[in-house]
Amino acid sequence: SSSETFDADGTDDTGTGNNRLVQFVADNKVLLNALLRSNQNLLEKGLKSMVKMPKCRPFLDFDVKRQWFKTQVRRLRQQANRRHGSLRLNLRRKYVFEDSFHAFNHRSAEELRGRLQITFVDEEGVDAGGLSREFFAILAKEMFNPNYALFMSTEDGCTFQPNPNSSINIDHLRYFRFVGRIVGKAVVDGFLLDAHFTRSLYKHMLGIKPTHNDMQAIDPDYYKNLQMILQHNLEDIGLELTFSTEDHSFGRSRTIDLIPNGRNIIVTEQRKEEYVNLVCQHRMTTAIEKQIKAYLEGFHDMVDSDLISIFNAKELELLISGMPDIDIDDLKRNTNYNGYRPADREIEWFWSIMFSLSRSEKAAFLQFVTGSAKVPLAGFSELQGMRGVQQFSINKVNGPQGALMSAHTCFNALDLPVYKSEEEMKEKLLYAISEGAGGFLFA
């Protein structure tokens, strides 16, 4: 055992103990994570430095971090509840975004930490969690509504980042602060948001500086051009650049210097990396600095930066939105069969079809059998049903051959009749997920 004494943050005065600790954690990663799963309190006691020391955090598994985070925010919420009681919002269903904006704006961060109680005007219903879930689902959609001009989607249309021209909406900064508070509130209350942001925005939320590689998701073509600049001699590709960039917002063009008097300073081979970094910093940070600042102000009203910084950017996305990718291998590993065996040809056909589906078809299938397109954070082993964890199951149906398949969303179960070919099964499955997803779901 070491006689060294570590400060509360896991460091010692010499720094050598610091490095030895990081090395120890790295060498014993699997064992330490297993220990922490069985006894979460260790992160508050003997293994505190695994959270406190940034260099130790990468060795903690996501589920362990998430559990620690949940424990911390639960404590803060209980304190707020005792002080301020519940956060009761009575909203007009047609104007949820506007009404919530005003309700949130008039409350302190501390008041907003209380337990959320949502009711809709002129509707009966007690909020046992369902109405709150609906509230967050509506807001997650509305924050990206082009009419508010707050966010713009990236090339693939899947992720969003602040719109540099959001000032067209006079109140835009107050809205950004509101959206930050909503995302933070969802995170601390454990509600998933169907809202995916750019990697660079997740990094800003964690206080990490984005790199030029984060440009790839925002604008792939622009990123390709930057890679070309880095990989080839500027003279060979005939590029004459200056330390400036063009802005074409609101129909007029203007030159922006990346360094003082940049428009008159030529980018040389020696300084091209600096140029690429500056131009990316402009696109991902400087051009949207006010928007990011307001959004982070709201987010940190709800979530302490010390607590959230335990995650990396990819983990933060999972924390906010759940698993966006539907991993069919994982689903297959966590499937139970009734009447069929895994080796039956119908089951082989079924998985062959599942692997061939597009991303949106997979999401539609998940909605058809579970009632939601959300994958649990820990994957399909933790799929929730009416009675707690209820893994996906496939039941053999002894009806007429070629009958329609049906689902029981309460039990995450699929009733799969016998078909004469894989083609027929696929046709029936696609029919079921497109028809069955339209409002009525089988009990």
Side-chain angles (χ1 to χ4, degrees):
S1 73
S2 166
S3 61
E4 250 144 6
T5 54
F6 293 99
D7 293 338
D9 61 356
T11 59
D12 68 353
D13 297 335
T14 62
T16 50
N18 203 331
N19 295 334
R20 295 228 308 271
L21 183 68
V22 174
Q23 192 56 54
F24 173 79
V25 171
D27 294 343
N28 297 282
K29 175 181 183 287
V30 176
L31 176 68
L32 287 168
N33 279 290
L35 263 177
L36 291 167
R37 275 188 197 95
S38 62
N39 184 358
Q40 192 65 40
N41 293 335
L42 287 171
L43 278 181
E44 314 238 343
K45 297 181 184 141
L47 294 176
K48 199 190 229 169
S49 45
M50 286 191 71
V51 176
K52 294 286 182 196
M53 278 181 64
K55 281 185 177 173
C56 287
R57 290 172 191 162
F59 302 110
L60 283 173
D61 290 341
F62 175 59
D63 62 309
V64 172
K65 291 181 185 179
R66 195 177 83 233
Q67 201 45 55
W68 174 83
F69 177 78
K70 272 185 180 169
T71 308
Q72 306 302 314
V73 295
R74 192 182 304 123
R75 208 170 284 157
L76 291 171
R77 194 167 63 239
Q78 284 163 350
Q79 286 169 8
N81 263 343
R82 282 196 293 274
R83 249 179 248 146
H84 301 282
S86 293
L87 171 63
R88 295 175 194 279
L89 302 183
N90 187 25
L91 310 165
R92 293 170 300 169
R93 190 174 272 282
K94 260 189 161 166
Y95 305 101
V96 172
F97 197 74
E98 291 297 321
D99 287 359
S100 308
F101 170 67
H102 294 297
F104 268 59
N105 254 354
H106 294 131
R107 286 177 168 85
S108 69
E110 191 62 24
E111 287 173 272
L112 292 173
R113 285 213 171 103
R115 181 187 148 82
L116 195 58
Q117 291 281 332
I118 299 290
T119 48
F120 290 108
V121 175
D122 298 332
E123 288 184 30
E124 293 288 318
V126 177
D127 189 4
L131 294 174
S132 288
R133 198 165 24 248
E134 198 179 342
F135 163 77
F136 283 116
I138 294 168
L139 292 181
K141 224 196 214 108
E142 280 296 292
M143 62 176 76
F144 303 126
N145 182 334
N147 294 335
Y148 293 111
L150 298 175
F151 290 91
M152 52 192 283
S153 76
T154 52
E155 292 291 311
D156 64 2
C158 292
T159 59
F160 291 85
Q161 88 155 358
N163 175 4
N165 302 322
S166 62
S167 60
I168 198 163
N169 169 350
I170 298 164
D171 239 352
H172 71 134
L173 296 179
R174 284 172 68 202
Y175 273 102
F176 272 112
R177 180 168 161 243
F178 163 65
V179 169
R181 282 176 150 195
I182 287 298
V183 174
K185 181 71 177 153
V187 164
V188 296
D189 284 11
F191 288 96
L192 293 177
L193 285 180
D194 191 7
H196 296 270
F197 299 105
T198 55
R199 185 68 28 93
S200 53
L201 187 60
Y202 290 125
K203 286 188 173 179
H204 284 304
M205 291 165 80
L206 297 169
I208 300 167
K209 196 175 173 182
T211 68
H212 81 273
N213 291 321
D214 297 316
M215 215 42 237
Q216 189 171 8
I218 297 170
D219 190 338
D221 291 336
Y222 190 64
Y223 176 75
K224 248 186 236 154
N225 294 342
L226 295 177
Q227 287 295 87
M228 206 165 84
I229 290 171
L230 291 174
Q231 287 161 7
H232 298 87
N233 192 302
L234 291 176
E235 276 183 18
D236 295 349
I237 46 178
L239 266 186
E240 272 200 20
L241 299 164
T242 61
F243 279 94
S244 63
T245 183
E246 299 297 313
D247 174 50
H248 303 289
S249 51
F250 303 121
R252 52 177 199 271
S253 191
R254 64 191 183 111
T255 302
I256 294 167
D257 289 324
L258 298 170
I259 56 175
N261 191 28
R263 69 194 71 187
N264 298 315
I265 299 171
I266 301 289
V267 176
T268 60
E269 195 62 29
Q270 290 72 36
R271 293 186 72 184
K272 67 182 184 183
E273 263 184 53
E274 183 188 351
Y275 166 79
V276 167
N277 285 332
L278 287 168
V279 86
C280 288
Q281 192 184 328
H282 175 75
R283 284 276 300 261
M284 294 187 284
T285 308
T286 323
I288 48 176
E289 203 153 15
K290 286 186 177 132
Q291 291 89 330
I292 291 171
K293 186 171 179 280
Y295 171 81
L296 291 184
E297 208 173 279
F299 182 70
H300 289 138
D301 271 351
M302 299 285 89
V303 191
D304 192 333
S305 53
D306 279 354
L307 294 183
I308 203 76
S309 62
I310 188 175
F311 299 104
N312 63 34
K314 283 183 179 167
E315 291 169 337
L316 183 56
E317 179 176 17
L318 295 182
L319 189 73
I320 294 170
S321 307
M323 296 271 185
D325 273 324
I326 295 165
D327 180 345
I328 300 300
D329 281 309
D330 182 41
L331 181 63
K332 189 176 176 181
R333 273 195 302 274
N334 293 288
T335 294
N336 300 315
Y337 303 93
N338 299 311
Y340 283 116
R341 288 192 312 276
D344 289 344
R345 67 175 194 168
E346 284 85 356
I347 296 303
E348 289 187 350
W349 290 346
F350 174 80
W351 290 116
S352 161
I353 293 163
M354 288 303 294
F355 280 109
S356 74
L357 297 182
S358 71
R359 193 167 169 179
S360 59
E361 286 166 344
K362 287 174 191 167
F365 175 79
L366 198 60
Q367 282 173 322
F368 175 63
V369 293
T370 70
S372 153
K374 283 275 163 283
V375 180
L377 278 175
F380 286 104
S381 62
E382 275 191 25
L383 193 61
Q384 295 292 315
M386 210 169 65
R387 307 183 186 122
V389 171
Q390 188 117 43
Q391 292 188 347
F392 174 55
S393 62
I394 299 176
N395 307 322
K396 188 170 188 172
V397 186
N398 297 319
Q401 192 181 33
L404 276 178
M405 54 185 80
S406 59
H408 307 274
T409 55
C410 296
F411 307 108
N412 301 325
L414 177 72
D415 284 350
L416 186 67
V418 174
Y419 296 103
K420 61 177 185 289
S421 69
E422 186 175 328
E423 289 68 35
E424 185 191 24
M425 186 186 284
K426 183 165 187 175
E427 184 193 323
K428 291 287 200 283
L429 184 128
L430 291 174
Y431 178 81
I433 65 178
S434 58
E435 296 297 314
F440 70 94
L441 283 167
F442 305 98

